[in-house]
Every structure is written in C-alpha cells, then in structure tokens.
Amino acid sequence: MKPENINDIVGSDRNHLWHHLVQHKPWQSTDPMVIVEGKGMRVKDHNGREYLDAVSGGVWTVNVGYGRESIANAVRDQILKMCYFANSAGNIPSAQFAEKLIDKMPGLSRVYYANSGSEANEKGFKLVRQLAAMKNDGKKHKILYRDRDYHGTTITALSAGGQVQRKDQYGPFTPGFVEVPHCLAYRDPRGGDPDYGVQAARDIEKVILAEDPDTVGSICLEPITAGGGVIVPPEGYWETVQEICSKYGVLIHMDEVVCGMGRTGKWFGYQHYGIRPDMVTMAKGVASGYAAIACLVTNEGMFDKFKDNAEDPLNYFRDISTFGGCTAGPAAALENLRIIEDENLLANTTAMGDYMLDQLGGLMDKHSVIGQVRGKGLFLGAELVEDRDSRVPVPEKRAQAVVADCMAQGVIIGVTNRSIPGYNNTLCFSPALIARKDDIDHILDAVDGALGRVFG
Ligand SMILES: Cc1ncc(COP(=O)(O)O)c(C=O)c1O
C-alpha cells in the first residue's frame, strides 16, 4: 500500500475506531498501531516494521501462525459453495469438524457451535440453569467460578469472572454465581503448604457446603488460568476437584478457550490431569483466528436430558447463535486441525515449551526480579516481584515497561493487565505452536535486555 494511503488508514483508525481493551487517551498524541500483514510468527505494522509475535495475535489465538494459504482456500471454497444457514439445519463442515473434534475428546460426544468464548460459556451456564428448572425443582442452579479465572466479557460471563478489575463498574451482575479461591501456590495464603493442591480443592468443597450442595449445579474452571497469571494447578488439585464434584453432583465445565487445540501440548488442557468434564468450551485456537468459531462440547448424558420428553414444548435447549451457522468457522477449524496433526505441532509445543520454560528459568539467575516462572507447553508466564523473599509484586507500570521495551526491540510479549488489583505483574508468552528454538531464543534475548534496562 502507498504511504499516503496507509496514512489515510491510520487517520481513519484514529478518528473512528474504538479499540478493544485500550485506554485511548494516549493515542491523541501518538499513532495507533495498525497491523498490516503476517507470515509465520511475524507481523508487520503500517510503517513496514516487522515484529516477532510471542503472543499469537495478542491473546493466545493464532496457534498455527499467520498466512496459511490452505486455511484461506478452505474458507474461500466453502463460503462460495454454501456460506450460511442457521444451525437448526446442518452443513457439511460443521458435521465434519464435530466428528474430528469428538475424536480428540474421549467421553464427550456433542458439539454446539457459537462464535465467541464468552458466548460458548454462556451456553454452558444456560444448560445448568435449564437443567435446574427441568430436572431439579429449580435447585442446583448456582454456578461456581474461581478467583483469578476469566470466562468472558458479557455481563453474565463477567458474573462468573474472578478478575476484580475486569468487573469493576459493570455491575450489578447476574445472580447465582459464587466465587471459590484460586489455586496459585506461589500466593498461597497458608504459606508453602506441601499439600496445597489438595487443600486448594478442599476450599472449593467448603464453598459447596456453605452454599448447600443441593443448590450448586456446576463449577466453571480454566484448566490452566490464563489472564489471571498463568496458573498451573498444583499437584493433587484436579484429582480432588473431580472427587468433590462427583460427591456433590456438581457438573464440571472446563473453559478451554485459551488452552484448547494444542496450546499446552495436548489437544486440551484438562487432558493433562485425567479430568472427566461434563462440558468443555473452546474458541481462540479452534480456527487460529482465521474465522470466528467457538464450541461447547458435552457428553451424551447431558444431551439426552434435553430431549427426553417430546410432549413438553420446552424440553429442548432453546438457544441459538446466529453466527454459529457460519460455515467459515468449521471449514477453517478442519484445516487448522489437519495442520496441527500433519505438522506434529503438539509434539513441537511440548518440546519448545519445555525449552522455553527452562530458558526462562535460566533468566532467573540473572534477574532477581523474576519471582517465579510457570506454564505448560507454549503457554508460559514469569511473575515479577520487588524481592524474592517478600514476593511483593512489581507495580503494573514497571511490568508494562518490560513489554514496551520488547516492543521497541521488535518482539511482542504480553502482561497480565487490569485484572487483579496489585497483581498485574506476570509477563505472558504464547508463541505460535510452530515456534522453533531460534524464535524462542530471539524472544528471550529481548526479555533479557528489557529486564536489564527496566530493573537495572
Ligand atoms: C479463559 C477464557 N475464557 C473465555 C474468554 C472469552 O472469549 P471471547 O473473547 O472469545 O469471548 C477468554 C478471552 O480471553 C478467556 O481467556
């Protein structure tokens, strides 16, 4: 594009776009960044400057990397043939993708299409509410969520959100959502309990008992918390959560919006822990951002409960997502899945994730500001602290200065932001699943330099 045209674009952006999750005031004096093209793990901005993207499109999304011609062709061919029909009818890619997906999710059997992670999660909440009404005399309607987890942006998804700053000023919220404590051992209020994983799960049980198990329908959890600080659950946690949920008849709703489709080195995050979820939601990596698609996946038992009385006009899931009928999503998702399989990207994610975690650990020797590194696969975080003994978090602005320094070096990394007051101090890394050693080294060189400059 000619320079004069790109200047027009920047002007149109500045004058008319309301960007997501950004404070616009600073843009009165600087240009917004317009991303113009991408290939592999690299993107170019409107000035032609190239960046190595260590966060897969900013928010853990472009798992197979940019510029995949085969996905573009699959979408093009599909939408020319048949672009849309409401999902009350079927279409070819949605049936084909459902079959492939279910093949990766033993124990589950039904796929419900939607178009965002928030929306898929809301479907899960609606199933619980309707089940309570249809089968439990209105009981078992409450939904538990965890401190630091995030499940989406709508008012009800925020009602299930454990990130105080994301919720601030958006209440009142939907009733019937109850918080349980987080499971971040590094911030264990009991201080280094070796049995912390089991105890953190027992904290959930205490909430169930306090609320009355007869009123609790489900618990919605991220397998590994993303924006709340990249929290890998401690040993013993998931086994105990499963045991507690089985004991009190609480459905397990796994929010795989970030972890799903390979991000952690398995198809789904929960598969590291032997959990048997009743519902799984996914979005970002399902089609790597080439088309909007989200899915809610359930087991057959759940599906059956919504079809056991044909005489009752209300005995079915009375829900629709208009764009859940777009064929571009499943067409892109099918090709995305093929790429992950054919290019062996799960194995690459595990190998490169282990390497990156190890190298990040190595940076701790040099930079005492890194309090802890954690993660699984290519989904990693480094928590920054003033001092390793006190674990006092660095101020958000200083963590953001590290991100800005990396950006100035041409490397895009992330940081938890405006989520948990006082604890927006974890650097986030989620390179595409195609990352190679030299990409990881390049990212970590930038981080090394930035930490040195920001913290001295
Ligand atoms: C764990 C998790 N769940 C749900 C969502 C919401 O997804 P969406 O932005 O597609 O609505 C997000 C978004 O970041 C997320 O991180």
Side-chain angles (χ1 to χ4, degrees):
M1 191 177 271
K2 287 191 183 139
E4 58 273 24
N5 293 345
I6 196 68
N7 286 340
D8 288 347
I9 301 281
V10 172
S12 304
D13 182 306
R14 187 208 293 279
N15 293 335
H16 301 297
L17 271 187
W18 192 332
H19 285 265
H20 300 189
L21 219 57
V22 252
Q23 209 159 357
H24 272 260
K25 185 80 177 163
W27 280 357
Q28 285 177 351
S29 52
T30 58
D31 277 351
M33 182 184 192
V34 179
I35 304 285
V36 176
E37 56 185 89
K39 188 79 193 158
M41 282 180 59
R42 283 165 175 78
V43 293
K44 268 191 195 159
D45 73 7
H46 57 284
N47 293 315
R49 177 145 195 249
E50 189 172 274
Y51 300 83
L52 176 60
D53 176 6
V55 281
S56 293
V59 287
W60 305 289
T61 299
V62 189
N63 282 3
V64 298
Y66 300 98
R68 291 281 189 171
E69 209 175 328
S70 66
I71 303 184
N73 287 339
V75 170
R76 179 189 180 280
D77 293 350
Q78 177 57 49
I79 59 182
L80 275 177
K81 190 168 176 198
M82 173 71 215
C83 65
Y84 176 82
F85 201 93
N87 223 191
S88 41
N91 64 65
I92 290 172
S94 68
Q96 287 175 322
F97 180 63
E99 173 136 22
K100 290 257 182 210
L101 182 61
I102 287 306
D103 192 47
K104 313 292 179 211
M105 307 181 81
L108 301 178
S109 58
R110 292 282 162 180
V111 181
Y112 193 97
Y113 287 105
N115 60 74
S116 73
S118 308
E119 198 198 356
N121 282 329
E122 292 239 11
K123 312 290 183 209
F125 304 150
K126 281 179 78 175
L127 287 180
V128 172
R129 290 287 162 89
Q130 195 177 345
L131 269 181
M134 288 193 312
K135 307 287 176 196
N136 293 310
D137 297 326
K139 293 185 194 157
K140 289 225 164 271
H141 64 280
K142 288 183 193 163
I143 294 162
L144 307 184
Y145 65 93
R146 189 171 52 190
D147 180 23
R148 284 182 173 251
D149 278 9
Y150 176 75
H151 301 297
T153 190
T154 59
I155 294 289
T156 293
L158 280 178
S159 310
Q163 299 181 0
V164 176
Q165 281 178 301
R166 294 233 183 273
K167 297 171 82 156
D168 216 10
Q169 304 172 342
Y170 296 112
F173 293 104
T174 309
F177 287 82
V178 181
E179 187 169 286
V180 302
H182 68 73
C183 65
L184 175 55
Y186 190 65
R187 298 283 171 198
D188 172 14
R190 280 162 286 232
D193 181 346
D195 205 21
Y196 175 67
V198 173
Q199 294 313 321
R202 292 279 164 227
D203 287 345
I204 297 176
E205 185 172 31
K206 285 181 200 152
V207 175
I208 295 174
L209 291 171
E211 291 293 324
D212 176 0
D214 278 352
T215 69
V216 180
S218 75
I219 183 163
C220 182
L221 298 168
E222 292 183 64
I224 297 172
T225 301
V230 190
I231 303 170
V232 182
E235 230 165 273
Y237 183 76
W238 278 118
E239 298 85 320
T240 316
V241 169
Q242 177 81 64
E243 176 207 311
I244 290 166
C245 289
S246 304
K247 181 169 170 192
Y248 299 108
V250 173
L251 299 171
I252 298 180
H253 171 166
M254 297 297 304
D255 177 345
E256 293 273 355
V257 168
V258 171
C259 294
M261 299 313 281
R263 171 60 52 204
T264 66
K266 287 194 186 276
W267 286 107
F268 293 94
Y270 75 85
Q271 293 170 345
H272 290 283
Y273 305 107
I275 298 284
R276 299 181 307 280
D278 301 280
M279 297 178 264
V280 178
T281 46
M282 64 193 78
K284 296 175 187 280
V286 175
S288 289
Y290 283 81
I293 177 170
C295 307
L296 163 74
V297 181
T298 73
N299 57 33
E300 202 65 8
M302 174 77 86
F303 179 67
D304 283 345
K305 291 194 175 105
F306 287 81
K307 67 171 179 63
D308 58 1
N309 182 3
E311 303 306 310
D312 176 356
L314 299 186
N315 178 241
Y316 66 102
F317 190 34
R318 297 186 324 281
D319 180 273
I320 179 169
S321 170
T322 296
F323 289 144
C326 285
T327 58
L334 263 173
E335 182 57 16
N336 185 69
L337 190 145
R338 184 201 65 72
I339 290 170
I340 295 174
E341 281 189 320
D342 288 1
E343 296 184 11
N344 241 335
L345 295 185
L346 296 186
N348 187 62
T349 299
T350 303
M352 290 301 107
D354 287 350
Y355 176 70
M356 190 163 182
L357 189 61
D358 189 56
Q359 297 297 303
L360 266 175
L363 283 185
M364 289 182 77
D365 298 338
K366 208 169 154 190
H367 300 284
S368 61
V369 70
I370 306 180
Q372 191 184 47
V373 296
R374 47 188 185 248
K376 222 179 222 335
L378 286 168
F379 179 30
L380 300 159
E383 179 158 356
L384 305 183
V385 292
E386 297 280 9
D387 159 66
R388 281 195 191 149
D389 290 333
S390 69
R391 299 188 181 181
V392 170
V394 301
E396 181 166 5
K397 274 208 153 69
R398 301 202 82 201
Q400 284 173 349
V402 177
V403 177
D405 187 293
C406 287
M407 192 74 151
Q409 298 177 69
V411 175
I412 307 176
I413 68 164
V415 63
T416 52
N417 70 86
R418 309 286 152 82
S419 298
I420 297 143
Y423 290 94
N424 298 310
N425 62 324
T426 300
L427 302 179
C428 300
F429 308 96
S430 52
L433 314 188
I434 54 172
R436 296 173 321 215
K437 260 188 174 172
D438 53 332
D439 300 315
I440 309 277
D441 292 340
H442 186 157
I443 296 164
L444 293 178
D445 277 351
V447 174
D448 184 13
L451 289 174
R453 275 184 289 278
V454 174
F455 295 100

